[in-house]
Amino acid sequence: MTGEYQYWENVPTRWKDNDVYGHVNNVVHYSLMDTVINEWMIRTAGFDPATSDAIGLCVESHCEYEAEVSFPDAIRVGLRIGKLGRSSVRWEIGMFRASDGAAVAEGHFVHVFVDRNTRRPVEITGAVRTEMEKLLTP
């Protein structure tokens, strides 16, 4: 399963990520997905969230949990694109315990790119689209 992702980041968990049940709380998984996607957009695709004419709005998100993870575990996060449309993208994310490779969770985010001012859908173009195409699953 880990070979299916084209981009990887190792993310350390933090003390505050654990909840009263002793494991990383579910909201942290969503935050990790959003963070890895946006870090990839900024660092790899050259996206500037502060000045870009187009911005990606999350219109759908989902996560399925496979195993617990707890601080001080690190999470290996894999990223790929399942579908790239004219103005939308479905990001697919896999999370694995870095120490043993155990699957922790799988999820997806769907972003629709819109004009920053009008909030109307716009086409994904330029370097962002070129880089996204590299993450498309075969």
Side-chain angles (χ1 to χ4, degrees):
M1 180 184 330
T2 59
E4 299 172 357
Y5 297 95
Q6 288 82 14
Y7 177 79
W8 290 93
E9 281 191 34
N10 283 338
V11 182
T13 58
R14 303 163 302 174
W15 176 259
K16 71 176 193 168
D17 294 337
N18 280 7
D19 62 18
V20 69
Y21 302 113
H23 62 240
V24 170
N25 189 269
N26 62 304
V27 299
V28 175
H29 296 79
Y30 280 95
S31 179
L32 287 176
M33 289 190 282
D34 199 26
T35 298
V36 169
I37 289 166
N38 282 287
E39 183 164 342
W40 179 89
M41 290 272 297
I42 293 164
R43 291 179 190 246
T44 303
F47 179 74
D48 185 342
T51 64
S52 176
D53 291 337
I55 57 173
L57 300 181
C58 181
V59 298
E60 179 183 332
S61 62
H62 177 80
C63 189
E64 293 183 32
Y65 305 94
E66 305 291 332
E68 292 182 325
V69 63
S70 300
F71 175 83
D73 290 327
I75 300 174
R76 186 154 168 77
V77 181
L79 180 65
R80 66 183 178 213
I81 291 178
K83 183 176 183 205
L84 180 58
R86 186 186 70 77
S87 62
S88 65
V89 58
R90 177 186 160 110
W91 305 96
E92 297 176 347
I93 301 97
M95 291 174 251
F96 305 85
R97 191 176 303 113
S99 62
D100 63 7
V104 172
E106 283 193 299
H108 70 261
F109 262 51
V110 176
H111 280 150
V112 172
F113 281 76
V114 300
D115 179 271
R116 177 183 297 279
N117 298 314
T118 67
R119 297 298 205 250
R120 299 296 306 153
V122 296
E123 192 167 340
I124 303 168
T125 61
V128 172
R129 183 170 202 86
T130 299
E131 292 300 323
M132 283 180 174
E133 289 171 346
K134 295 175 184 177
L135 291 185
L136 271 169
T137 55

